[in-house]
Amino acid sequence: MLRSRPIHYTSRHEEWSALLQALGLVRTVDDGDWREFDAGSGRLALAAVRHGHPLDGSTVFGVEVGNLEEFARRTEEAGTQAELHEGPDGTTVQISADDGFEFFAFPAERATDGSWATSGDAHPALTVVATWISPLVGLAVNALSNIGARPRSEDDESATFTTKNGGILRVIHGADGANGDLAFEYDDGLEALLDRLKEAKVEARISEGVLYIANPDASGGAAPASIVVESPPVDRKPAPQAS
């Protein structure tokens, strides 16, 4: 079982929480400086940091799995390095791709109905997109295949994969291996989402078929001005896989 779950670090915790809920995500964990949100497809963790922290305004690529030991074993057998890692917050799996990028798999918890689905209260049209920047897209694609992600689209400069909870893992070409910006897809008309954001007093606009939302972190100068929400490619809307 594989689920997408990037982590966004911010010194504007409350502003981000309000924004995510306006988008249609549902808060499922509230543990002080650590919160988790479900979208219709995909999940997102929100971690509070102080202003000026090196991670402030950044998103870290990450996934969740049902059984860490089995996930590490299968990933290693497929040809990608995966090691159990003991940290202050518990056990994770560190995945090391051949392009030099590293990310972590965290233990997942089942929904209240016993499945791996996201909250039924989350807006079903909203999908979380976690982004990995790589100078060698082919190597990143191979690593995502080896961890169990399912191919969705691919070209010379980018690729997307879906996970069990429908969230998207995206690779785009860049000079160095790095975490990319948080993004979303919305499959129910961007104009409808824009209206809902405006009702919640969230600054947003649509330009050339893309919805841009004012980024709460942008005022610090270390984050892009906008959060991007796009419509999914035709006939490629990611659907959660059956449990």
Side-chain angles (χ1 to χ4, degrees), residues 102-152:
E102 296 180 338
F103 62 97
F104 287 89
F106 297 84
E109 293 185 7
R110 292 183 184 272
T112 54
D113 63 1
S115 73
W116 297 111
T118 56
S119 171
D121 295 326
H123 199 297
L126 190 73
T127 299
V128 176
V129 181
T131 303
W132 167 358
I133 300 172
S134 176
L136 300 166
V137 170
L139 294 182
V141 165
N142 185 62
L144 290 178
S145 296
N146 289 348
I147 69 170
R150 296 195 173 189
R152 179 178 183 242

Side-chain angles (χ1 to χ4, degrees), residues 182-204:
L182 179 65
F184 299 91
E185 285 187 0
Y186 190 75
D187 192 46
D188 196 24
L190 294 179
E191 292 80 6
L193 180 56
L194 176 63
D195 290 342
R196 195 165 78 243
L197 290 169
K198 287 183 174 178
E199 288 178 4
K201 302 187 184 307
V202 174
E203 182 181 346

Side-chain angles (χ1 to χ4, degrees), residues 21 45 50 82 118 153-154 163 190 203:
Q21 290 175 95
R50 69 183 185 280
T118 56
S153 67
E154 184 177 355
T163 58
L190 294 179
E203 182 181 346

